[in-house]
């Protein structure tokens, strides 16, 4: 597959959307379902708890009925009634809208044979009933949309024990049990209406502007599922709000509209006394207006809601983006600089469109930016091409409100060109694989040498011992280090920052070339000349494997594959082994037909591109985006991967294209696996005898050699760990290519099996397969299998700085884990988070330029040591202030929270459930509120939410930047969070509430 055809190839995979076979139940307009000869099954198991990491999913056939009526109790006929599943987990591509019908003249409706999604959860550690949430909602002419409370269906018979266990968990969510009538009535009211006009700051109407209510686009991730908030709050504040969690299933025309040619819009069927999350977006070039709307007649106290009442108007004026004409020239010779990337970053607002451009042959590009709200609230960053000896330039500027355009000239400074040469101190031969850091004459903190100023690429000296870099001018001291994370070299250097060779300070001059030479201490001889240790395999095969292994470890290659990684529990292990062992190993088999005909299984393949340069690895996955009909494109029109993982040997970067989260960590700390050539083929590492090393004299077991014509099989039985293990390897006689590798307790019970097909020799002599398939067994069942079909192998002559750089779109959230300790005896620290306001060319370089990793202070909390004192401003119970509880001999579970923290309030059902579950145990559950509340406010909230466990308010913190003094002592930088104190008063855990429950369960008798 050529690179130019790859996007088309990916689009074909995206267009193959996966839709569950369980269709939406659509029923006739007489309020009853039609009689059908083919009813859906009573239960359809989608996933079991065992095969889906502790979360089972099922479809259960149910019937729901009720009456649609108005506020006076009169029936409403011809109302359209819907039912939608509402669960915390659902399969990919699942249609939450499960059925619809219309009410009859008496207002009655029936939804029969609806397949509701039911979740089953492994206790962890609190028991969870199997249940499926659902919401019934309706639309009728002349009325506002309406919805019921969330209900739950539990597919067991109602028993007294279950009733007693479940009732206290969440009384606000009624549950129906198996064989019980499921009756949900709908109450309609007159509609609220909203209209308005959208104009620009020149008084012109804006046509085609989108106005959304209840469900809006997430401006951080325009391709995501959006954000939703829609709650019926009633006419008085004391009414418990009824959220409409199924608003995504509401017909789009009832929650979103666009402006006409005059910039006007209108909604006619909003629900009265309801709050909506709203968004008005004239287009991607404008700053969207996000707000919270209330259709109440009276504005609630202490509210920032836009209150429009039952018949409201909401107009909005938007500032038109201005033309920002950027001209980039070379500062020295005033010549235009082409192919430079120009990006404008706003201080606060995300810019998806108009904030990025690339200069043409005249050094010009045009940006489209809304006017500044404050002076210098934009930063302009100009990144020259990596081949140009120019330095990156950035500065702040203002887009004025007056006028339609602004000219911004940019002059790029020439870099100092540094050529570093490394030679062996004795022989004078060039030394490869040496990287460098540098210090300045004013700052001793070492900085990484990159080959240019835009990307962080960690270059090393090449086979000629040379490294060229473009650096800022000034006095620099270079420090030679070995490429400890780099590719295997024929030579090895042992240098780190403390022992590295430190050069003299040299003056780097802009536009001039400075040559620096390092004499490296003698290195070890080429390890390929060391004798091969005795092996159970014939030497001729060991030498072939050794040659191929070295070619693979030093390869620079890009491989396009189609990958399958999934559970194989429904596959027959013996049939898998027999099937693949009997195929022609020199041809790529038709695996789609094999899985379909032999195993009655569909093969879902995911396009993937693997790029490798020694230890530098990149994996771009183009998964099928079930929620989108077309693949996502970046700002240059290229298909965006749905997941990218990159390790340059020093930093690890992972990007999720679904939610635009970017995780950054030290490569040595990352636990993620990035695919490489080792996942596609097997070339064993051959052990050699190092100089001065005495080889062992032990007799080695001899394999059973089986002649298979052009191939040969090696089989043997080994003693391992007090037991026996068998080993089988099948190789090509001519090349040594390994077709099969398998190990296990017996030859009839092979637990780890790998097959490789269709070997092809590349132009550099490296042999790679056309397909790989492997699986692992547990309890005689296939746990999972992997399959890789190789479509194209492209050897790379050179690696550019962009190859292992990770570009990310505007709105991406960078979560920086660098510098966080992995000490298991300390609480896990929260990583730094940064949301980028425009597209970023290289994530690591962006962080290095704007947010260098902090030197994190060591946590004061040590597990097993005495817990910090509770600094409490007031103890709060159901009736008001209480005395401090007796903690002696009890396990204490602290929930750090606040009523103005959305995630904290969202976690309260779990906290209430834990309080009920552990009620008869020697445990105190303490809800420690931050210091920013009063006893009256907290008590009122507790009564409204039914919080019966012990509450308290933290004392104000003695230092700024903390939620309270106790939270400061525990190092709590973000809430919700939790801590566990054992019976002896020692802190044993700080972290999430769910994880704290496991620790509590360990401590309680």
């Amino acid at each position: 597959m050529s690179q130019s055809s790859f996007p088309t190839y990916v689009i074909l995979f995206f267009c193959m959307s996966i839709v569950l076979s369980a269709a939406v139940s659509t029923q006739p307009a007489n309020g009853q379902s039609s009689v059908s000869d083919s009813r859906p099954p009573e239960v359809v198991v989608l996933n079991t708890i065992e095969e889906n990491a502790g979360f089972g999913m099922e479809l259960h056939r149910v019937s729901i009925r009720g009456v649609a009526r108005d506020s006076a109790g009169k029936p409403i006929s011809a109302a359209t009634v819907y039912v939608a599943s509402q669960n915390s987990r659902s399969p990919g591509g699942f249609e939450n809208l499960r059925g619809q019908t219309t009410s009859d003249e008496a207002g009655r409706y029936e939804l029969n044979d609806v397949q509701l999604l039911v979740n089953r959860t492994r206790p962890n550690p609190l028991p969870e009933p199997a249940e499926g949430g659902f919401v019934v909602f309706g639309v009728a002419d002349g009325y506002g949309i309406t919805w019921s409370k969330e209900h739950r269906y539990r597919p067991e018979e109602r028993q007294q024990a279950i009733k007693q266990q479940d009732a206290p968990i969440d009384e606000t969510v009624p549950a129906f049990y198996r064989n019980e009538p499921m009756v949900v009535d709908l109450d309609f009211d007159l509609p609220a209406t909203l209209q308005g006009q959208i104009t620009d700051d020149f008084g012109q109407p804006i046509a085609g502007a989108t106005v959304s209510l209840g469900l809006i686009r997430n401006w951080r991730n325009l391709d995501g599922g959006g954000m939703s908030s829609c709650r019926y709050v009633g006419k008085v504040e004391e009414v418990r709000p009824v959220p409409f969690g199924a608003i995504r299933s509401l017909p789009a025309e009832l929650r979103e509209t666009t402006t006409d040619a005059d910039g006007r819009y209108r909604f006619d069927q909003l629900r009265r006394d309801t709050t909506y999350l709203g968004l008005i977006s004239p287009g991607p070039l404008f700053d969207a207006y996000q707000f919270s709307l209330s259709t109440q007649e009276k504005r609630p106290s202490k509210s920032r809601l836009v209150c429009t009442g039952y018949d409201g108007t909401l107009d909005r004026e938007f500032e038109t983006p201005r033309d920002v004409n950027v001209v980039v020239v070379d500062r020295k010779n005033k010549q235009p600089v082409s192919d430079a990337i120009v990006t404008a970053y706003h201080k606060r607002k995300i810019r998806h469109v108009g904030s990025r451009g690339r200069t043409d042959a005249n050094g010009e590009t045009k940006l489209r930016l809304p006017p500044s709200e404050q002076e210098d609230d934009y930063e302009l960053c100009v990144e020259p091409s990596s081949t140009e000896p120019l330095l990156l330039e950035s500065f702040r500027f203002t887009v004025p409100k007056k006028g339609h355009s602004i000219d911004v000239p940019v002059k790029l400074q020439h870099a100092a060109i540094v050529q570093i040469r490394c030679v062996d101190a004795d022989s004078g031969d060039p030394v490869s694989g040496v990287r460098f850091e540098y210090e300045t004459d004013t700052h001793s903190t070492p900085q990484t040498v990159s080959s240019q100023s835009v990307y962080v690429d960690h270059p090393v000296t090449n086979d000629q011992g040379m490294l060229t870099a473009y650096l800022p001018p000034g006095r620099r001291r270079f420090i030679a280090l070995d490429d400890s994370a780099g590719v295997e070299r024929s030579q090895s250097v042992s240098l780190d920052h403390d022992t590295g060779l430190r050069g003299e300070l040299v003056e780097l001059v802009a536009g001039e070339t400075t040559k620096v030479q390092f004499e490296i201490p003698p290195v070890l001889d080429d390890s390929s000349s060391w004798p091969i240790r005795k092996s159970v395999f014939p030497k001729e095969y060991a030498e072939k494997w050794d040659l191929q292994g070295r070619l693979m470890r030093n390869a620079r290659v890009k491989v396009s594959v189609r990958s399958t990684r999934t559970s194989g529990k429904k596959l027959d292990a013996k049939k898998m082994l027999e099937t693949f062992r009997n195929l022609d190993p020199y041809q790529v088999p038709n695996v789609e037909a094999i899985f379909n005909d032999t195993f009655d299984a569909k093969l879902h393949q995911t396009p993937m591109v693997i790029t490798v340069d020694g230890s530098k690895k990149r994996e771009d996955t183009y998964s099928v985006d079930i929620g989108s009909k077309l693949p996502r494109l970046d700002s240059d029109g290229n298909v965006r991967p749905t997941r990218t993982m990159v390790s340059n040997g020093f930093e690890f970067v992972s990007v999720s294209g679904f939610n635009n989260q970017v995780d950054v960590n030290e490569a040595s700390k990352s636990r993620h696996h990035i695919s490489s050539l080792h996942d596609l083929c097997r070339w064993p590492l051959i052990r050699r005898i190092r100089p001065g090393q005495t080889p062992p004299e032990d007799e080695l077991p001899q394999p059973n050699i089986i002649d298979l014509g052009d191939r040969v099989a090696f089989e043997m039985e080994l003693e391992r760990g007090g037991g026996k293990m068998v080993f089988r390897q099948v190789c090509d006689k001519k090349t040594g290519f390994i077709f099969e590798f398998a190990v296990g307790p017996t030859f009839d019970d092979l637990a780890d099996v790998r097959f490789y097909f269709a070997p092809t020799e590349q132009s550099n002599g490296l042999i790679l397969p056309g397909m790989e398939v492997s699986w692992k067994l547990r309890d005689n069942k296939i746990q999972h299998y992997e399959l890789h079909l190789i479509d194209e192998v492209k050897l790379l002559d050179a690696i550019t700085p962009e190859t292992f750089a990770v570009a990310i779109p505007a709105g991406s959230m960078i979560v920086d884990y660098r510098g966080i300790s992995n000490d298991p005896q300390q609480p896990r620290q929260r990583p730094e988070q940064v949301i980028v306001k425009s597209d970023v060319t290289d994530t690591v370089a962006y962080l290095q330029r704007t947010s260098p990793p902090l030197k994190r202070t060591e946590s004061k909390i040590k597990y097993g040591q005495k817990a910090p004192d509770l600094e409490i401003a007031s103890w709060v119970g159901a009736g008001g202030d209480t005395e401090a509880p007796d903690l002696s001999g009890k396990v204490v579970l602290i929930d750090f929270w606040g009523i103005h923290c959305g995630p904290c309030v969202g976690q309260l059902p779990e906290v209430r459930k834990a309080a009920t579950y552990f009620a008869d145990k020697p445990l105190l559950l303490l809800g420690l509120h931050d210091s920013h509340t009063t006893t009256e406010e907290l008590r009122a909230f507790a009564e409204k939410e039914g919080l019966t466990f012990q509450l308290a308010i933290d004392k104000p913190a003695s230092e700024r930047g903390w939620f309270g003094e106790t939270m400061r002592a525990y190092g709590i930088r973000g809430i919700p969070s939790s801590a566990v104190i054992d019976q002896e008063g020692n802190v044993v855990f700080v972290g999430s509430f769910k994880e704290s429950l496991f620790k509590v369960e360990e401590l309680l008798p």
Side-chain angles (χ1 to χ4, degrees):
M1 181 197 316
S2 67
Q3 188 173 1
S4 60
S5 66
F6 186 76
T8 303
Y9 169 71
V10 174
I11 289 173
L12 292 176
F13 276 82
F14 274 90
C15 292
M16 296 169 59
S17 295
I18 302 173
V19 181
L20 289 178
S21 60
V24 175
S25 173
T26 304
Q27 302 176 6
N30 60 0
Q32 297 182 1
S33 61
S34 60
V35 178
S36 173
D37 295 331
S38 58
R39 301 179 67 189
E42 185 174 350
V43 179
V44 177
V45 178
L46 304 177
N47 300 108
T48 65
I49 288 177
E50 292 74 22
E51 68 185 13
N52 196 37
F55 301 102
M57 300 181 190
E58 304 165 355
L59 292 175
H60 285 252
R61 189 183 69 205
V62 302
S63 294
I64 304 170
R65 58 184 172 86
V67 177
R69 54 199 171 204
D70 63 16
S71 56
K74 296 181 180 180
I76 299 177
S77 63
T80 304
V81 180
Y82 305 85
V83 60
S85 283
Q86 186 167 315
N87 293 279
S88 58
R89 289 178 175 83
S90 60
F94 183 76
E95 176 55 69
N96 284 313
L97 184 62
R98 306 312 299 157
Q100 70 178 74
T101 188
T102 54
S103 61
D104 60 16
E105 292 182 355
R108 293 188 298 264
Y109 75 87
E110 289 187 13
L111 287 160
N112 293 326
D113 295 344
V114 173
Q115 288 186 292
L116 280 184
L117 181 65
V118 170
N119 290 160
R120 293 186 185 273
T121 306
R122 178 185 297 140
N124 55 355
L126 304 182
E128 295 280 354
E131 61 183 11
F134 68 94
V135 173
V136 177
F137 60 98
V139 180
D141 290 341
Y143 296 90
I145 60 175
T146 191
W147 54 89
S148 69
K149 293 181 179 180
E150 179 191 354
H151 291 73
R152 293 176 183 171
Y153 170 71
R154 294 176 180 166
E156 285 84 27
E157 300 287 344
R158 184 185 291 268
Q159 299 173 2
Q160 189 65 24
I162 296 179
K163 182 178 180 181
Q164 290 176 349
Q165 177 184 353
D166 293 344
I169 293 176
D170 198 339
E171 297 175 348
T172 63
V173 183
F176 298 104
Y177 287 79
R178 184 180 178 185
N179 295 328
E180 292 182 347
M182 299 175 65
V183 180
V184 181
D185 296 331
L186 285 177
D187 295 321
F188 286 80
D189 198 354
L190 295 176
T193 63
L194 179 69
Q195 61 181 331
Q197 185 179 30
I198 309 303
T199 59
D200 65 19
D201 53 339
F202 296 101
Q204 297 299 311
I206 300 177
T210 301
V211 185
S212 306
L213 296 177
L215 176 63
I216 69 173
R217 299 182 78 183
N218 182 351
W219 211 243
R220 197 179 70 77
N221 181 12
L222 296 181
D223 294 324
M227 303 183 296
S228 65
S229 178
C230 180
R231 302 193 309 164
Y232 173 70
V233 295
K235 293 180 173 58
V236 293
E237 294 185 28
E238 289 74 19
V239 174
R240 181 184 292 273
V242 181
F244 186 22
I247 193 169
R248 296 175 189 274
S249 299
L250 183 71
E253 63 271 15
L254 296 175
R255 53 177 167 78
E256 186 171 281
T257 189
T258 55
T259 55
D260 60 19
D262 296 324
R264 299 189 180 278
Y265 70 93
R266 183 178 179 87
F267 290 94
D268 288 318
Q269 286 187 283
L270 300 178
R271 188 172 185 178
R272 293 185 172 186
D273 302 309
T274 298
T275 62
Y276 293 86
L277 179 64
L279 184 78
I280 302 177
S281 174
L285 286 171
F286 291 81
D287 283 334
Y289 170 53
Q290 182 175 319
F291 57 98
S292 293
L293 178 82
S294 171
T295 58
Q296 295 170 284
E297 287 282 77
K298 181 181 178 182
R299 178 189 296 273
S301 59
K302 299 181 180 179
S303 173
R304 297 182 180 179
L305 294 171
V306 177
C307 193
T308 57
Y310 295 161
D311 185 14
T313 299
L314 180 60
D315 300 328
R316 187 71 180 179
E317 179 182 283
F318 289 87
E319 292 184 312
T320 302
R322 279 31 172 187
D323 291 340
V324 178
N325 304 308
V326 181
V327 181
V328 182
V329 298
D330 182 316
R331 178 178 295 180
K332 184 176 182 180
N333 54 33
K334 306 300 186 293
Q335 293 299 308
V337 176
S338 63
D339 204 32
I341 298 174
V342 180
T343 309
Y345 295 97
H346 195 272
K347 281 183 179 180
R348 297 170 301 280
K349 297 184 177 180
I350 298 171
R351 303 275 186 250
H352 290 280
V353 178
S355 63
R356 191 174 177 90
R358 191 182 292 268
T359 57
D360 57 19
N362 297 318
E364 300 176 354
T365 189
K366 178 185 291 186
L367 308 183
R368 295 269 291 160
L369 302 174
S372 298
E373 297 175 352
Q374 301 175 1
E375 187 175 357
D376 291 344
D377 56 2
Y378 283 100
E379 178 190 11
L380 194 71
C381 179
V382 181
E383 301 169 316
S385 168
S386 61
T387 60
E388 295 287 340
L390 299 170
L391 295 178
L392 179 149
E393 181 77 22
S394 66
F395 56 87
R396 306 211 70 84
F397 74 107
T398 302
V399 178
K401 295 181 181 293
K402 294 182 179 180
H404 292 271
S405 65
I406 176 179
D407 295 330
V408 180
V410 180
K411 298 178 181 180
L412 295 186
Q413 182 181 3
H414 269 259
I417 304 173
V418 181
Q419 292 182 346
I420 304 177
R421 183 168 184 260
C422 291
V423 298
D424 186 289
D426 288 348
S427 66
D429 294 335
V431 177
S432 63
V434 182
R435 66 181 180 91
F436 286 86
E437 293 177 346
Y438 70 84
E439 302 169 343
T440 69
D441 56 342
T442 60
H443 210 297
S444 62
T445 301
Q447 300 182 52
T448 300
V449 170
S450 290
S451 63
Q452 30 56 61
S453 62
V454 177
Y455 304 92
V456 174
D457 57 351
H458 300 285
V460 297
T461 53
N462 58 21
D463 292 338
Q464 288 74 45
M466 296 296 298
L467 185 155
T468 300
Y470 304 148
L471 298 176
R475 292 172 61 80
R476 304 283 184 266
R477 184 196 311 278
F478 294 97
I479 307 165
L481 309 167
D482 72 307
D483 182 26
S484 57
V487 66
E488 180 190 10
R489 309 284 173 179
S490 60
Q491 304 160 319
S492 62
V493 185
S494 180
L495 300 170
D496 56 30
H497 180 73
D498 294 328
T499 62
L501 296 178
R502 307 170 70 85
E504 299 295 328
L505 279 171
V506 294
E507 185 73 34
L508 305 185
V509 180
E512 297 185 6
T513 299
T514 302
K515 296 183 178 181
V516 179
Q517 179 163 310
F518 278 79
E519 295 185 354
I520 306 298
V523 298
L524 298 175
D525 294 334
D526 185 352
S527 61
S528 63
S529 63
W530 301 347
I532 296 177
R533 293 183 61 172
K534 290 176 61 176
S535 171
V536 297
F537 301 104
K539 184 177 180 181
E540 57 182 293
Y541 288 98
E543 290 177 342
K544 293 173 183 176
W545 297 338
D546 185 53
L547 173 61
Q548 288 293 321
R550 289 179 177 276
L551 288 172
M552 185 170 68
R553 288 189 292 275
N554 291 286
R556 289 174 173 169
V557 63
K558 177 182 287 187
V559 185
S560 298
V561 304
R562 285 168 285 155
S563 174
T564 299
R565 294 172 177 170
T566 187
S567 170
K569 294 182 179 180
K570 297 180 181 180
L571 301 177
D572 185 287
K574 290 186 178 180
K575 186 181 288 188
M576 282 275 285
L577 184 63
E578 179 183 358
T579 299
F580 284 100
R581 188 171 280 175
N582 291 331
L583 295 173
D584 181 356
Y586 292 93
Q587 302 294 326
V588 176
N590 186 347
V591 287
E592 292 91 342
I594 291 172
F595 274 82
N596 184 63
D597 299 339
T598 306
F599 304 108
D600 192 25
K602 187 175 181 180
L603 198 64
H604 298 289
Q605 301 177 55
T606 300
M608 178 189 297
V609 177
I610 301 169
T611 308
V612 178
D613 177 22
S615 69
K616 296 180 179 180
K617 297 180 289 185
R618 181 185 188 109
E619 176 186 311
D620 294 300
T621 304
Y622 298 84
S623 302
V624 175
D625 184 356
I626 298 170
S628 178
K629 294 181 179 180
L630 292 175
R632 303 171 181 182
L633 305 178
D634 62 18
S635 57
D636 294 326
N638 301 315
V639 176
R640 281 183 57 201
T642 50
R643 185 172 181 83
T644 294
M645 292 192 293
V646 174
S647 174
N648 61 20
F650 300 91
E651 292 91 12
F652 167 84
V653 182
S654 173
V655 182
S656 170
F658 291 115
N659 62 7
N660 284 354
Q661 178 166 317
V662 184
D663 295 335
V664 180
N665 204 347
E666 292 107 339
S668 59
K669 293 182 180 179
S670 171
R671 298 181 181 179
H672 292 79
H673 174 74
I674 303 178
S675 297
S676 67
L677 298 183
H678 295 279
D679 296 279
L680 306 179
C681 61
R682 175 177 171 80
W683 291 112
L685 177 66
I686 302 304
R687 302 179 66 183
R688 296 180 177 274
I689 304 173
R690 300 173 67 89
Q693 184 181 42
T694 302
E697 299 295 335
D698 299 341
E699 288 293 328
L700 299 176
Q702 295 301 309
N704 180 27
I705 302 177
I706 305 171
D707 193 309
L708 301 176
D710 293 334
R711 298 172 296 146
V712 60
F714 300 97
E715 294 183 350
M716 75 178 90
E717 185 176 294
L718 303 172
E719 296 285 342
R720 288 289 175 89
K724 292 183 178 181
M725 182 187 73
V726 299
F727 168 93
R728 174 182 167 91
Q729 189 158 283
V730 179
C731 313
D732 181 73
K733 288 181 179 178
K734 182 179 179 181
T735 64
F737 180 84
I738 297 174
F739 293 102
E740 178 187 342
F741 171 81
V743 295
T746 68
F747 287 110
D748 295 326
D749 184 18
L750 296 171
D752 187 347
V753 182
R754 307 174 198 177
F755 283 96
Y756 309 94
F757 292 85
T760 302
E761 184 174 347
Q762 308 302 315
S763 59
N764 67 343
L766 176 63
I767 301 175
L768 294 176
M771 193 194 87
E772 175 272 344
V773 61
S774 59
W775 61 88
K776 291 187 178 183
L777 270 63
R778 180 183 297 173
D779 299 328
N780 296 320
K781 294 182 179 180
I782 297 178
Q783 291 298 299
H784 70 274
Y785 72 92
E786 295 187 7
L787 187 147
H788 296 92
L789 279 166
I790 299 177
D791 292 303
E792 182 190 40
V793 177
K794 183 179 181 181
L795 298 179
L796 305 176
D797 294 330
I799 296 295
T800 63
E802 299 91 332
T803 303
F804 295 99
V806 179
I808 56 177
S812 297
M813 175 184 286
I814 302 176
V815 184
D816 190 356
Y817 293 91
R818 295 176 300 170
I820 293 181
S821 172
N822 286 341
D823 186 353
Q825 296 304 312
Q826 290 187 0
R828 279 180 286 180
Q829 296 172 291
R830 293 198 177 221
E832 299 296 321
Q833 296 182 357
V834 178
I835 295 179
V836 299
K837 304 306 187 292
S838 292
D839 291 0
V840 168
T841 305
D842 179 11
T843 301
V844 175
Y846 176 83
L847 288 176
Q848 182 172 286
R849 188 172 69 247
T850 62
S851 304
L854 299 177
K855 292 185 177 179
R856 302 176 185 269
T857 58
E858 185 177 355
S859 173
K860 298 178 180 179
I861 296 293
K862 294 283 188 181
Y863 291 163
Q865 294 184 358
K866 181 176 172 53
D869 293 334
L870 297 176
E871 301 288 347
I872 305 299
S874 60
W875 296 94
V876 181
D881 290 353
T882 65
E883 296 295 326
D886 182 12
L887 308 182
S888 58
K890 294 180 181 179
V891 175
V892 180
L893 170 58
I894 307 175
D895 175 34
F896 301 104
W897 72 296
I899 59 179
H900 301 294
C901 160
C904 300
V905 176
Q907 184 177 268
L908 283 179
E910 185 80 1
V911 180
R912 282 200 302 262
K913 183 176 180 180
T916 302
Y917 183 74
F918 294 115
D920 59 346
K921 300 289 186 179
L923 173 135
L924 174 73
L925 196 159
L926 171 61
L928 183 56
H929 197 286
D930 63 48
S931 60
H932 309 299
T933 191
T934 63
T935 301
E936 293 74 19
E937 184 180 30
L938 179 57
R939 187 175 68 250
F941 182 88
E943 291 176 356
K944 181 178 178 181
E945 296 295 327
L947 306 183
T948 58
F949 53 87
Q950 179 68 61
L951 300 174
I953 300 174
D954 203 2
K955 281 185 178 180
S958 58
E959 299 176 9
R960 295 183 61 183
W962 297 91
F963 294 100
E965 185 61 21
T966 306
M967 298 193 196
R968 185 194 68 79
Y970 278 84
I972 304 300
R973 285 288 191 183
I975 54 175
S977 190
S978 301
V980 179
I981 304 172
D982 65 16
Q983 292 89 333
E984 284 73 39
N986 300 319
V987 60
V988 292
F989 179 80
V990 177
S992 72
F993 187 79
K994 184 171 287 293
E995 289 179 291
S996 70
L997 295 178
F998 288 96
K999 182 59 67 174
V1000 167
E1001 192 176 46
E1002 291 177 14
L1003 296 173
L1004 291 176

